Amino acid sequence: MDSRKVVHRRKPDIHASDKNQRSQEVNVKSLDLSKVIHLLEDPLTANLKERHLFVLKKLLKRSQIGFLLKELSGIGKILNICAEKVTDHPEYVPILCEALQICRLPFLKEKVSDEQNYTQDVIEFLSNLGCLMRMSDAEVRQHIVQCVRSFYSCVAPKQLLEGMAGFIKPKPRIFHSDNQFSRLSLRLQPTSPGYRLQLLERSDLAQTLVLSMAALENQPAIKLQLLQTLQILSSSSDMNCALILNARGAEMICLHMNEPDPSGQVLFYSSEILWNLLEKGSKEATAQLSSIECVISLKEAFIHQLINGFRHSDLQLRNDLLVITTLITENLNSLINESLFAKQLVALVTFPELKSQNPLVCNLKLTYNNEDFQMKKLLLNLLVIMSKDSAALQLYKEERVTPALLTLVSPPASSSERRSASRQWSPVQQEELQLQALATLSTIAPLMLDDYITCQGNSCLLLLLDWCVAQDPFFGQSHSSGGRGSKKAQMRHCIRVLRSVTSSGEDLVNEDLCDQGVINQLLGILMQMEASPDEEDEVTLEIKSDIQLILSALCESDMHRKELFGSEGVEMAVHFLRKGCNNFYNGLGHNKLILSTVDCVRSCIVGCYTTEDYFLAKGGASLVLDLLRSSPRCVHCIVLATLLELCENPNTLSHILSWRDVGSQTAPRLLLQLWRDEEEKLKVSRTRHGGIADPQRPILSHYQQEDTQLSFPATTPSAAVLELSENLRSKIYLIFCKLGFQGLPGLSGKDYVTLSIIRRYLDFKVSEVWKEISRELSLEGVRPITPDEEALSTIHKVSEDTASRAVAEQNSILEQLEKDDIDKEEFMYTEIKSRWKQQELTAKSWDSYVSRTSNHEILKEVKAQREKYTESSRPKPMHEDAAVLPKKHFIGQVMSIERTGASGPAGVKLRLARAPIKAAGQEEV
């Protein structure tokens, strides 16, 4: 049914006023937009201004509660036509303004599906709304800007609430002359609040508003309102920011923010918009603001606020501009150095710690309030970001940044010194600046080692380190790094600076540290922290691991420093190795501490026989093997490397061979198991017993087989060579070369199969490299000369023979293993059979005993048999005619001893007396 048609039911008691009201309603509803557009565009009626205004007012009166979604397309055309007529006929301006006021209300829908059906019409209408900014009339522009701002208002207009009252609580029987559209509103519903905002993001409205800014130079009030609107748009969604950036809005706003402004708010809203664009469209916004013009505009705005800003809002705006500058500086293509803005900022960093002749800071005074404190922190942060550009380092030298930072990191002054000094930062501010200066120095000091050495940076840091470990009271506020009254935060950042400086590898810096006794000082701090009863936290573990890394960097390439590390350092390393890997994955940093401990053993102990022998005497090799057994796979590489270097000491081998774990597993067996696990991870082809499955590829991994059709340049290591450093097999092979391949304790038959592969690993690897060379030659279409081709063929054949011998040896081992298993099985069955026989005899004896004790007849029979057996075993009596038994003698007594002079038993001659032995019952003859 057509919504414009009204069906009337005849009633006998209809009054005349009701008839007039309904006729007006029909006339209003019957107003067709296509006819209105035709009236405005038709050449015959184009000049009928009065009629146009009458019809347009009638149209707006009908739409006083909002425009219908289905009519937005026609309304947009009407507004465009009116905008074209305004130039010659200003009478159309009120019409446009009233229409824009209606646009602030939510659009209306008759059906639920209207929002989906008229989506494109709404998008085009909003785009046309922005195009009306081309009009020069200030009132129209102001209404457009206010209309867009009203879209984001959460307060519904009073007129909308009154117009929709009938829909909320309908009263169809009551009609008043001043509410003649209440029937119409019963069938209409407003669109959802987010509907228009979602479609606004898909339109060109935000982009058009940005482009219209150039036409508002002579209308500062409207320009300010437009900036307020763009600030709302940029803070509401990322899509609006993208639209603004598509129109190069960041660049345009930045270039116009220093124009004369009576209100003093243009710079504020411009900075807000730029901040939103940098947050939500960082790359594109940074690229637009990195031009020399934009950087100069930012510099002028910042310097103006720095010199002339005294109110709290001015200081906040100054800091906001500094944040925007920081975000732009992160782009390496920014021209902050070329614009001389960086020089002024660096000079400002050193104020007020150092005196400067720079005109920017000569007459500058700080109030040391919170906003000045925030500016100081932002400037320190800017130093770190600017340090990525090598050109900025020269500015740091000229403006003496390193001395200023070392001044900030010095221990805090006493209360008496603070009272005698001039106005300065509060203790809380001083502590936070000290921590940030240390963090800044950890980045800048390795890049400016000359200035660091000239300013005696090592001495300053070591004095700060002494202050950190001192027991004097300190009322710090570093809650996140150890709690109130703790110096743990200062120690943490001081150790970070020392780590960054020593890791640069500068001999002059490291030598200076060692000359000042830093090795013994760090060892003392480390063991003091370890003896502390406080529970370990993330900060404590980080300090411990950083100290070990510093010691590793200092002692790695210097034998004398390893001797200085000495027994105290060995005790420290052994102590941390005994902790094991139980807390490796607890998230506090024990994993880093374990890695740094192993690195400390490799760098500070291995290579010096004095410390190595003491380390072995303390059970260091056993602790390294314990760590290898219990640690996760990610640690195995560095542990095996340390163990391999430790094997250069001949005393290490006995410790390794005598090692046993909790399950009585030996070190060779542990290494063989690691080899099998590594080959399983690499997907090397093996039989179920661990033998060679493919003699053509005895040690080739699955990943190398996938790269067989690739050719590598000469400067790039091939897959066969690169594989040596990426897995553990080469390290395990070298350790076995030290231990030997014979007489290893605690190996099983499967271990011997694996050991036969390890023994030939180098031969297999050499053959693998030659095969790779042959394959690359064939891929590149290169044919080697005949002698080389014969040599390659011989190498391949020798490799295959080696693999075949290995397979034969493995088969022999497996056969012997199978034979041993069979012998063990037969022996086991023999034992089982013997046990069963014994059980049968025991059962039979028990049955006999039970039968004798329970049956008297059987007992009598057994007794008779026993007596008969006893009688038969007695000797028979001797008769008179029995033969006389011969006499038997035994040695009775030594009669005499004679010596013949010969050596040994032959030189003694004995005379013995004999006595006869008589048989029973025989008389002496």
Side-chain angles (χ1 to χ4, degrees):
M1 179 178 177
D2 192 354
S3 61
R4 300 183 181 89
K5 296 181 181 180
V6 181
V7 179
H8 300 279
R9 305 179 70 178
R10 296 182 59 85
K11 294 185 179 180
D13 55 348
I14 295 179
H15 300 285
S17 60
D18 294 338
K19 291 181 179 180
N20 294 333
Q21 177 183 348
R22 293 193 175 190
S23 63
Q24 293 176 3
E25 186 176 325
V26 171
N27 291 333
V28 172
K29 291 183 178 182
S30 62
L31 188 61
D32 193 353
L33 292 183
S34 60
K35 295 180 180 180
V36 176
I37 295 172
H38 181 72
L39 176 66
L40 296 173
E41 291 183 337
D42 193 352
L44 299 178
T45 58
N47 297 324
L48 301 179
K49 183 176 61 175
E50 291 78 4
R51 187 174 180 183
H52 294 172
L53 296 176
F54 174 77
V55 173
L56 291 174
K57 290 179 181 179
K58 188 176 180 180
L59 175 64
L60 296 178
K61 186 178 180 180
R62 187 197 70 174
S63 304
Q64 60 181 340
I65 63 173
F67 292 123
L68 291 172
L69 289 176
K70 65 180 182 181
E71 295 180 348
L72 287 180
S73 178
I75 295 295
K77 293 181 181 179
I78 293 173
L79 294 180
N80 283 330
I81 295 173
C82 293
E84 295 175 357
K85 294 180 178 292
V86 165
T87 305
D88 300 327
H89 305 284
E91 293 84 358
Y92 287 92
V93 172
I95 301 296
L96 288 173
C97 294
E98 186 177 356
L100 292 173
Q101 288 181 347
I102 296 175
C103 290
R104 301 181 186 183
L105 306 176
F107 300 139
L108 304 177
K109 59 182 178 181
E110 294 178 334
K111 303 176 183 178
V112 178
S113 60
D114 285 352
E115 291 185 357
Q116 182 68 26
N117 295 335
Y118 297 104
T119 297
Q120 190 60 34
D121 293 345
V122 177
I123 293 174
E124 294 177 358
F125 178 78
L126 294 175
S127 300
N128 290 331
L129 197 64
C131 293
L132 294 179
M133 289 293 292
R134 68 183 185 274
M135 300 177 58
S136 60
D137 188 83
E139 186 177 4
V140 175
R141 289 177 173 176
Q142 184 176 4
H143 277 85
I144 294 173
V145 174
Q146 292 176 353
C147 176
V148 178
R149 291 174 58 186
S150 68
F151 292 169
Y152 293 88
S153 177
C154 299
V155 181
K158 183 178 180 181
Q159 183 181 4
L160 175 63
L161 297 177
E162 293 176 352
M164 298 303 298
F167 173 74
I168 298 174
K169 189 176 180 180
K171 297 180 180 179
R173 294 175 180 265
I174 301 176
F175 299 96
H176 301 284
S177 58
D178 58 345
N179 196 13
Q180 60 183 349
F181 303 108
S182 59
R183 286 188 179 181
L184 181 62
S185 64
L186 292 178
R187 296 182 288 106
L188 303 179
Q189 297 181 15
T191 55
S192 57
Y195 174 73
R196 183 166 47 184
L197 300 182
Q198 292 176 0
L199 298 185
L200 186 147
E201 296 174 354
R202 297 168 57 182
S203 66
D204 297 334
L205 179 59
Q207 188 172 351
T208 308
L209 292 178
V210 173
L211 295 174
S212 65
M213 185 180 296
L216 300 178
E217 296 180 359
N218 300 324
Q219 297 174 346
I222 301 175
K223 178 183 178 181
L224 178 60
Q225 294 183 9
L226 178 60
L227 288 174
Q228 294 173 351
T229 305
L230 291 175
Q231 191 270 336
I232 296 174
L233 289 173
S234 61
S235 62
S236 62
S237 70
D238 297 347
M239 295 183 65
N240 286 336
C241 290
L243 292 172
I244 294 174
L245 291 173
N246 287 339
R248 301 196 65 81
E251 181 181 6
M252 186 176 298
I253 291 171
C254 183
L255 294 177
H256 290 82
M257 66 182 182
N258 292 322
E259 294 178 352
D261 174 30
S263 65
Q265 296 183 356
V266 171
L267 184 58
F268 170 75
Y269 284 107
S270 298
S271 64
E272 290 288 327
I273 296 170
L274 293 179
W275 198 332
N276 293 332
L277 295 177
L278 286 169
E279 283 185 342
K280 299 179 181 179
S282 57
K283 292 184 179 180
E284 180 63 26
T286 304
Q288 293 183 19
L289 295 175
S290 297
S291 62
I292 188 69
E293 294 83 3
C294 290
V295 174
I296 291 176
S297 179
L298 276 173
K299 180 182 72 171
E300 293 175 354
F302 176 77
I303 299 299
H304 175 77
Q305 291 298 121
L306 179 67
I307 298 175
N308 302 318
F310 300 100
R311 297 177 301 175
H312 184 264
S313 59
D314 295 335
L315 300 180
Q316 284 185 332
L317 180 57
R318 175 199 64 189
N319 293 346
D320 291 344
L321 293 172
L322 191 55
V323 172
I324 294 172
T325 304
T326 303
L327 296 175
I328 296 174
T329 309
E330 292 179 352
N331 183 15
L332 297 178
N333 297 324
S334 64
L335 302 177
I336 188 170
N337 290 323
E338 289 76 1
S339 64
L340 301 181
F341 193 16
K343 184 175 180 62
Q344 293 177 327
L345 291 173
V346 173
L348 193 59
V349 171
T350 61
F351 180 80
E353 286 73 29
L354 299 179
K355 293 182 179 181
S356 175
Q357 300 299 324
N358 193 303
L360 178 64
V361 298
C362 283
N363 300 320
L364 183 64
K365 294 183 179 180
L366 294 180
T367 58
Y368 297 96
N369 57 11
N370 186 58
E371 298 304 325
D372 290 341
F373 173 65
Q374 295 297 329
M375 182 187 71
K376 186 70 174 180
K377 292 179 62 178
L378 289 172
L379 289 171
L380 290 174
N381 180 58
L382 191 61
L383 286 179
V384 178
I385 298 174
M386 291 173 58
S387 63
K388 299 176 183 178
D389 188 359
S390 58
L393 300 179
Q394 183 62 32
L395 292 178
Y396 294 172
K397 293 181 180 180
E398 295 174 359
E399 300 296 336
R400 300 184 299 163
V401 169
T402 303
L405 292 176
L406 292 175
T407 304
L408 282 174
V409 304
S410 59
S414 61
S415 56
S416 60
E417 293 175 348
R418 291 185 58 83
R419 283 195 297 268
S420 63
S422 59
R423 186 179 182 183
Q424 53 188 343
W425 304 110
S426 67
V428 177
Q429 292 175 340
Q430 184 67 37
E431 180 190 4
E432 194 165 349
L433 288 177
Q434 181 189 35
L435 295 177
Q436 187 163 357
L438 283 169
T440 305
L441 197 61
S442 65
T443 303
I444 295 178
L447 304 176
M448 304 176 61
L449 289 176
D450 295 339
D451 285 7
Y452 177 80
I453 296 172
T454 304
C455 299
Q456 297 181 351
N458 287 334
S459 301
C460 294
L461 292 176
L462 293 181
L463 288 175
L464 178 62
L465 202 57
D466 289 335
W467 174 81
C468 291
V469 298
Q471 300 299 324
D472 55 330
F474 173 68
F475 302 98
Q477 305 294 327
S478 54
H479 305 283
S480 61
S481 302
R484 188 186 301 271
S486 172
K487 303 176 185 178
K488 191 179 292 185
Q490 284 81 357
M491 180 183 291
R492 176 190 192 184
H493 287 85
C494 183
I495 293 297
R496 279 185 180 179
V497 178
L498 290 174
R499 186 193 68 184
S500 63
V501 170
T502 54
S503 62
S504 62
E506 181 65 30
D507 292 336
L508 190 59
V509 176
N510 294 348
E511 187 66 29
D512 180 54
L513 281 172
C514 294
D515 291 342
Q516 298 187 50
V518 71
I519 294 179
N520 292 329
Q521 183 178 2
L522 292 177
L523 287 174
I525 293 173
L526 188 57
M527 298 311 295
Q528 180 182 350
M529 294 179 66
E530 191 65 19
S532 175
D534 298 336
E535 185 178 356
E536 288 185 333
D537 56 2
E538 185 177 357
V539 177
T540 304
L541 292 172
E542 180 184 341
I543 294 174
K544 292 178 181 178
S545 61
D546 285 346
I547 289 176
Q548 290 181 344
L549 291 175
I550 293 171
L551 293 172
S552 299
L554 292 175
C555 301
E556 184 175 9
S557 58
D558 193 283
M559 189 64 64
H560 175 63
R561 296 172 193 170
K562 291 184 179 182
E563 293 176 353
L564 292 177
F565 188 78
S567 59
E568 185 181 358
V570 172
E571 294 282 356
M572 179 273 296
V574 169
H575 171 77
F576 282 100
L577 285 175
R578 284 174 180 162
K579 287 188 171 184
C581 295
N582 296 331
N583 299 321
F584 192 84
Y585 290 111
N586 68 349
L588 293 179
H590 286 90
N591 52 346
K592 298 179 182 178
L593 184 60
I594 289 173
L595 291 173
S596 61
T597 302
V598 177
D599 185 62
C600 194
V601 172
R602 184 187 63 84
S603 302
C604 303
I605 297 177
V606 175
C608 179
Y609 283 123
T610 305
T611 54
E612 278 185 3
D613 291 339
Y614 190 72
F615 180 71
L616 294 175
K618 288 293 182 178
S622 300
L623 292 174
V624 173
L625 288 170
D626 290 337
L627 184 63
L628 180 63
R629 181 189 60 83
S630 60
S631 63
R633 187 185 179 279
C634 57
V635 186
H636 289 168
C637 185
I638 184 173
V639 176
L640 281 174
T642 304
L643 185 63
L644 176 60
E645 294 185 14
L646 196 61
C647 287
E648 295 295 331
N649 190 327
N651 298 328
T652 307
L653 303 181
S654 60
H655 290 271
I656 294 177
L657 294 175
S658 61
W659 175 82
R660 300 291 186 277
D661 65 355
V662 180
S664 298
Q665 182 180 217
T666 62
R669 189 166 188 179
L670 173 62
L671 295 173
L672 292 170
Q673 183 60 43
L674 290 176
W675 178 283
R676 287 191 290 268
D677 295 340
E678 186 72 12
E679 289 195 333
E680 183 179 358
K681 179 180 177 295
L682 296 174
K683 298 181 180 180
V684 181
S685 180
R686 290 286 181 259
T687 62
R688 64 187 183 91
H689 298 290
I692 298 175
D694 187 2
Q696 300 292 332
R697 302 178 181 88
I699 60 171
L700 197 65
S701 65
H702 175 72
Y703 305 103
Q704 290 178 262
Q705 297 179 20
E706 295 178 350
D707 298 336
T708 54
Q709 301 301 321
L710 300 179
S711 179
F712 299 93
T715 56
T716 304
S718 62
V721 177
L722 193 62
E723 185 261 348
L724 292 173
S725 60
E726 292 181 346
N727 60 73
L728 311 177
R729 292 192 294 180
S730 59
K731 297 178 179 61
I732 295 175
Y733 166 74
L734 293 174
I735 293 176
F736 272 109
C737 288
K738 298 291 183 180
L739 298 177
F741 296 93
Q742 302 293 332
L744 299 176
L747 299 186
S748 62
K750 187 176 182 180
D751 294 331
Y752 282 111
V753 171
T754 306
L755 190 63
S756 65
I757 301 175
I758 298 177
R759 188 167 65 249
R760 299 172 175 86
Y761 174 75
L762 183 59
D763 297 332
F764 292 151
K765 179 55 66 175
V766 171
S767 173
E768 184 181 316
V769 173
W770 281 111
K771 288 181 180 179
E772 200 171 60
I773 293 173
S774 301
R775 184 170 59 252
E776 289 192 6
L777 290 175
S778 62
L779 288 175
E780 296 176 2
V782 177
R783 180 188 174 278
I785 60 177
T786 303
D788 292 343
E789 189 172 4
E790 292 177 355
L792 289 175
S793 177
T794 304
I795 292 172
H796 294 167
K797 185 176 180 181
V798 170
S799 173
E800 293 178 1
D801 293 342
T802 304
S804 300
R805 289 196 304 272
V807 171
E809 181 181 349
Q810 291 172 353
N811 292 333
S812 175
I813 294 172
L814 293 175
E815 290 176 0
Q816 183 63 34
L817 181 63
E818 184 177 1
K819 183 179 179 181
D820 293 343
D821 291 341
I822 292 174
D823 293 341
K824 290 179 181 179
E825 186 177 357
E826 290 179 354
F827 179 75
M828 182 184 64
Y829 279 117
T830 303
E831 285 190 348
I832 293 174
K833 186 177 179 180
S834 175
R835 289 181 181 180
W836 276 105
K837 185 66 175 176
Q838 184 66 29
Q839 291 178 4
E840 290 177 359
L841 293 176
T842 304
K844 187 176 180 181
S845 175
W846 174 256
D847 292 340
S848 175
Y849 174 76
V850 171
S851 62
R852 292 197 311 270
T853 56
S854 60
N855 193 333
H856 185 66
E857 297 297 331
I858 296 176
L859 181 61
K860 289 168 58 177
E861 182 180 353
V862 171
K863 184 177 180 182
Q865 290 179 358
R866 186 174 298 171
E867 290 176 353
K868 183 179 179 180
Y869 176 75
T870 303
E871 186 68 24
S872 63
S873 61
R874 288 179 180 176
K876 296 180 180 181
M878 298 296 297
H879 299 284
E880 294 180 356
D881 54 351
V884 179
L885 294 176
K887 293 181 180 180
K888 294 185 179 181
H889 300 83
F890 66 95
I891 298 174
Q893 186 177 3
V894 178
M895 300 299 295
S896 63
I897 301 176
E898 297 181 4
R899 297 185 179 275
T900 60
S903 60
V908 179
K909 185 176 181 181
L910 301 177
R911 292 184 63 189
L912 303 176
R914 299 179 181 178
I917 301 176
K918 297 181 179 181
Q922 183 181 1
E923 295 180 357
E924 183 178 356
V925 180

